[in-house]
Amino acid sequence: MAEIDNDHSNEKVPREQEKGAGEIIDIEKAKAAAAPNNVTGLAVVEQGHVIPTTGEPKITTPWEYWSYCLWNWGGTGVGIGNYGGSLQQNLVVQAFPSGFMNWGGRNTSTTSSILDVNGILFAVQLAVLLIIGPYADYGSWRPWLLIIWTVIGVAASLAFFGLTRSDDWALATGFYVLGYLAVNVTGAFYQAAFPMLVRDLPKVMASEKEVVEGIKDPKEHATLDMLERSKLANITMMFSALGSMLCILICLGICYAMGTDTVAKNTRVYSVIIGFFGCIWIISSIPWFVLEQHRPGQKLPDNTSWLTVGPMQVWEAAKNVRRLKQTFLWLAGYFLIADVYNTSGTMVNILQNEAISFDSITFCSLFALVYGLEFLCVFANNWIQQRFQIRPKWMFFAASCGVVFTNLWGIIGIWTDVIGYHHVWEFWFYQACIGVLTSGYWSYGQKMMAEVSPAPKMYIFFALYNTLGKTAAFVGPFITSAIIDDAKGNTNEGFWFTFITGLVALVLIAMVDTDKAKQDNAKYLEKEREELYASYGANGANDVTVRAGSISGNRVVA
């Protein structure tokens, strides 16, 4: 339970002395007395004040805010993900023109081997995030995770400069796995930082202070918090989409300058473009690395050390599934829709590369289209949500419906050649659908994760969020790979699995109650405080400041 007083000192004081220092607001009593629609707002406030932290909050500055957005200009994975995956597939096809290869001790199609490589990639990521993620919520060292993995991703991107021969297919596969692993790991820790940036915005801190003083309706504060988080998530996606589109237009210039009229020239163009995106990643990430304030994380719980706190964090999250039903219901729904999005995207890219014969000019033009439309539609989504205060759940649900639709189109292609990703025009249509219908998938997915995660534990839950998303991305490819092999290489057969999975995902996402999730999170944190932080003052006179100065002169103590 958190108590709020007006004592401006940072010294620990006995509870009896503290109670004489001024007016105290007991959040538990306030919740009990509050109108039902205010309980969620009070739970939002409480989550930031229950668990002891390692230091003072840092007010988000405008430069810090915009440098965070700029990082997403280059850290999207377009280079190593889209172009790197296509170059890797191109070299495999050149090395094995028959369409079959000895892979894992068996004769299999090159399509199945590419799906298997993606499965291996995401399995490795699962292990990395589960090992590192639980530690990131403690102390203030977590920005180094983003820096280190960004360096790895950039290095892998630059390594593609020299991969231009069919004999390089194995090296290309290795650097693709390493680089795309770095993209996904950096994405997890980049996304986890945005709720803290929003929490420490001056307007949000002032709003929280007004709630504490009884001036503002807690529900209004919860709405402000929700909309500001959505705004930042959408702005970062606009930077990503606009930056990607402009870079791809430059890549078109590279294609025309270098020429693409032979297989060798076309392959060389791909390698140069991947390296170019690596350079953009360097430029866009440096401002954030310089300007980011190392915000405090949780203190280590009683009777733990840096060796044990990671596994303990995983265990605590696992055993509290029952307490956090809405959180894990969301994760289940996201797991399934991520499986659909990633697996179907891989299948469509394989069909697309076959249809356009790996032509780099067409490839660049297709992705310029999708990112240009995505920029416009994310802007429109943000305006619509801010104007009508639509919950992130329904914005994400709408995007997920778009994902399912693209899979229905692929199923139709099983029985007819008229449509179903058999013609070049269909890939222009597909990329337009991705840009328009699914533009809110990424921004509102991370926003939903922030909505249902306990505030002090964003890093472990975002690691879990990305882990589940990528676990789905290696489960799906392995299953569809087997389906395609049984269908004698007919890639369209794999859309049956992704379409049905998508329908189940929509049902689960619709069932999530974000208000209930926030209330459950507050109760979960209260329980953790009681069980793991007793020596910090939960049951005696050794009270400590949890978040001093965070609300302009008021402070919260345990």
Side-chain angles (χ1 to χ4, degrees), residues 226-306:
M226 179 266 289
L227 292 176
E228 286 298 324
R229 287 183 181 185
S230 293
K231 183 189 297 184
L232 179 54
N234 284 327
I235 290 174
T236 60
M237 281 306 301
M238 284 189 276
F239 266 78
S240 168
L242 179 62
S244 297
M245 182 191 70
L246 294 178
C247 287
I248 290 170
L249 292 177
I250 294 173
C251 292
L252 273 173
I254 293 174
C255 293
Y256 283 109
M258 296 182 62
T260 61
D261 54 325
T262 67
V263 172
K265 287 182 178 180
N266 199 57
T267 303
R268 181 62 180 167
V269 164
Y270 270 100
S271 69
V272 170
I273 287 175
I274 298 166
F276 164 73
F277 272 100
C279 296
I280 294 296
W281 198 355
I282 295 173
I283 295 169
S284 68
S285 62
I286 289 176
W288 173 242
F289 294 156
V290 172
L291 295 169
E292 180 188 11
Q293 301 180 79
H294 288 216
R295 286 176 166 75
Q298 294 177 238
K299 286 187 176 181
L300 292 180
D302 298 338
N303 304 315
T304 60
S305 67
W306 280 105

Side-chain angles (χ1 to χ4, degrees), residues 182-370:
V183 167
N184 291 328
V185 173
T186 55
F189 296 121
Y190 171 77
Q191 292 166 6
F194 92 93
M196 297 182 188
L197 280 176
V198 172
R199 178 200 65 185
D200 291 338
L201 284 170
K203 68 167 70 174
V204 176
M205 295 173 74
S207 174
E208 186 179 85
K209 179 178 183 293
E210 291 175 352
V211 171
V212 168
E213 293 175 343
I215 300 172
K216 188 171 189 175
D217 187 325
K219 183 181 179 181
E220 292 181 22
H221 173 72
T223 300
L224 172 67
D225 181 72
M226 179 266 289
L227 292 176
E228 286 298 324
R229 287 183 181 185
S230 293
K231 183 189 297 184
L232 179 54
N234 284 327
I235 290 174
T236 60
M237 281 306 301
M238 284 189 276
F239 266 78
S240 168
L242 179 62
S244 297
M245 182 191 70
L246 294 178
C247 287
I248 290 170
L249 292 177
I250 294 173
C251 292
L252 273 173
I254 293 174
C255 293
Y256 283 109
M258 296 182 62
T260 61
D261 54 325
T262 67
V263 172
K265 287 182 178 180
N266 199 57
T267 303
R268 181 62 180 167
V269 164
Y270 270 100
S271 69
V272 170
I273 287 175
I274 298 166
F276 164 73
F277 272 100
C279 296
I280 294 296
W281 198 355
I282 295 173
I283 295 169
S284 68
S285 62
I286 289 176
W288 173 242
F289 294 156
V290 172
L291 295 169
E292 180 188 11
Q293 301 180 79
H294 288 216
R295 286 176 166 75
Q298 294 177 238
K299 286 187 176 181
L300 292 180
D302 298 338
N303 304 315
T304 60
S305 67
W306 280 105
L307 291 176
T308 61
V309 72
M312 183 276 295
Q313 178 88 310
V314 174
W315 169 245
E316 285 295 318
K319 78 177 185 179
N320 281 286
V321 171
R322 180 177 56 84
R323 297 180 187 274
L324 303 175
K325 292 179 182 178
Q326 300 300 319
T327 304
F328 286 95
L329 178 61
W330 153 250
L331 286 170
Y334 176 74
F335 174 88
L336 295 179
I337 199 64
D339 186 10
V340 175
Y341 189 92
N342 290 312
T343 305
S344 63
T346 300
M347 289 190 292
V348 171
N349 282 339
I350 290 170
L351 292 170
Q352 176 178 285
N353 287 330
E354 292 173 353
I356 67 174
S357 301
F358 301 98
D359 179 59
S360 55
I361 292 177
T362 304
F363 190 87
C364 288
S365 300
L366 284 164
F367 281 98
L369 171 67
V370 67

Side-chain angles (χ1 to χ4, degrees), residues 92-93 95-103 106-113 485 488-489:
V92 168
V93 170
F96 304 97
S98 68
F100 289 86
M101 62 188 296
N102 186 353
W103 176 255
R106 62 190 176 91
N107 188 44
T108 188
S109 69
T110 53
T111 296
S112 292
S113 73
D485 270 349
K488 310 300 182 185

